Amino acid sequence: MNRSTITKTLLLAGMAAAGSLGMAGAHAATIEILCTASEPCGQSSGTTADGTIFEAAANPTEPSTGTGVFKPFVRVQAQGNSDTQSGYNTDYSPDNGINFDTKSGIWTHSVLFGDLGTVDIGGLSYYQFSMDANEEGGRKNQIDLTEIQIFLGGDDLRIPENNGGYTGTQFDGSASDNFLAGYAPVWNLDNALNGDVTVILQASICDNPGQCGSGKGDLNLFILDSLLQGDTDDYFVFYTEYDRVGSGFEEWNYLARTIPVPEPGTLALFGLGLAGLIASRRKLQK
């Protein structure tokens, strides 16, 4: 099946689950992303009750997809021997003041909501994000993505650390009473409809053994655009929590909005109009 067929099936399954579960209290949900669709090793995609889609992203061999090509906007790495990590994108730069386990540098920075692009899947519009997991393999090759929260708002969210930072209880299976610089999340993975979601991710998914590794991409995330409402000049903050992680880092990028390029005919008409305007001005000057 192609992506459109697969994701339509997943979305319908998620809607059916939502209908049967309703809003009656929190429940646990697990999505396993253990291989690509072409590998008989387990699940390669899954959806939540609110229609959020997770799918394996095979590590391509051509072209190279190192960090410089992947272009992440947030990078998180566990400190010391911790099995958990969390963090969010920001413009705060000094390591000793940046939030939680987020790594400062050019690959962590603020993003405007208007910079995000959408993709059509089965006739529905989604925002797309991709994660590159960088773990050492072995027993740490499977990690748990336990929470995602998205915040939208004004300039306070460009550097939340200067404006109260993140408040609330981490790793509790809920975004209840969590705020960032005074803003509540506009969307979170663990919500009343989805329940407490855990995405178990194989951190070195690839179609070709030996071609796995850093900068290759492992997970695609699709969130319905109807679930994220904001202004184009709002700051967009992407907060994540992980469990069972190793010493490597996890980083995310987003599908950027494309700016339409005028067709050649339109450019030609514009050029003729500009030439006519210049000619008429010259006549007036004479």
Side-chain angles (χ1 to χ4, degrees), residues 226-241:
S226 59
L227 298 179
L228 302 182
Q229 299 295 315
D231 297 327
T232 57
D233 59 352
D234 279 344
Y235 281 94
F236 169 89
V237 181
F238 190 85
Y239 168 85
T240 51
E241 295 178 354

Side-chain angles (χ1 to χ4, degrees), residues 94-220:
D95 277 325
N96 62 355
I98 203 166
N99 63 86
F100 303 124
D101 305 298
T102 304
K103 305 295 290 182
S104 64
I106 60 174
W107 306 123
T108 294
H109 57 79
S110 65
V111 172
L112 290 177
F113 187 45
D115 293 339
L116 305 185
T118 58
V119 61
D120 183 276
I121 300 176
L124 298 174
S125 182
Y126 292 80
Y127 292 107
Q128 177 179 338
F129 307 92
S130 299
M131 182 175 78
D132 173 27
N134 297 267
E135 297 298 342
E136 68 268 30
R139 70 180 184 88
K140 293 293 187 180
N141 190 47
Q142 286 187 10
I143 63 176
D144 294 344
L145 173 61
T146 60
E147 175 66 305
I148 302 171
Q149 296 171 14
I150 291 176
F151 299 84
L152 293 173
D155 190 64
D156 287 350
L157 286 179
R158 186 176 72 83
I159 307 179
E161 293 89 339
N162 290 344
N163 299 285
Y166 184 93
T167 57
T169 304
Q170 294 184 290
F171 301 101
D172 64 346
S174 170
S176 177
D177 299 323
N178 290 350
F179 294 90
L180 183 65
Y183 291 90
V186 298
W187 178 86
N188 50 283
L189 179 61
D190 293 341
N191 57 48
L193 190 59
N194 293 341
D196 182 3
V197 179
T198 298
V199 180
I200 302 174
L201 172 68
Q202 181 177 323
S204 58
I205 290 175
C206 59
D207 279 331
N208 300 293
Q211 300 296 328
C212 313
S214 176
K216 295 296 186 178
D218 299 287
L219 177 70
N220 286 332

Side-chain angles (χ1 to χ4, degrees), residues 9 39 41 73 82 97 145 153 164 212 223 226 243 263 269 272 285:
T9 303
E39 295 177 276
C41 61
F73 68 98
S82 176
L145 173 61
C212 313
I223 302 175
S226 59
D243 195 9
E263 296 180 3
L269 289 173
L272 288 172
Q285 288 175 352

Side-chain angles (χ1 to χ4, degrees), residues 256-271:
R257 180 175 66 91
T258 57
I259 301 176
V261 178
E263 296 180 3
T266 304
L267 290 172
L269 289 173
F270 176 75

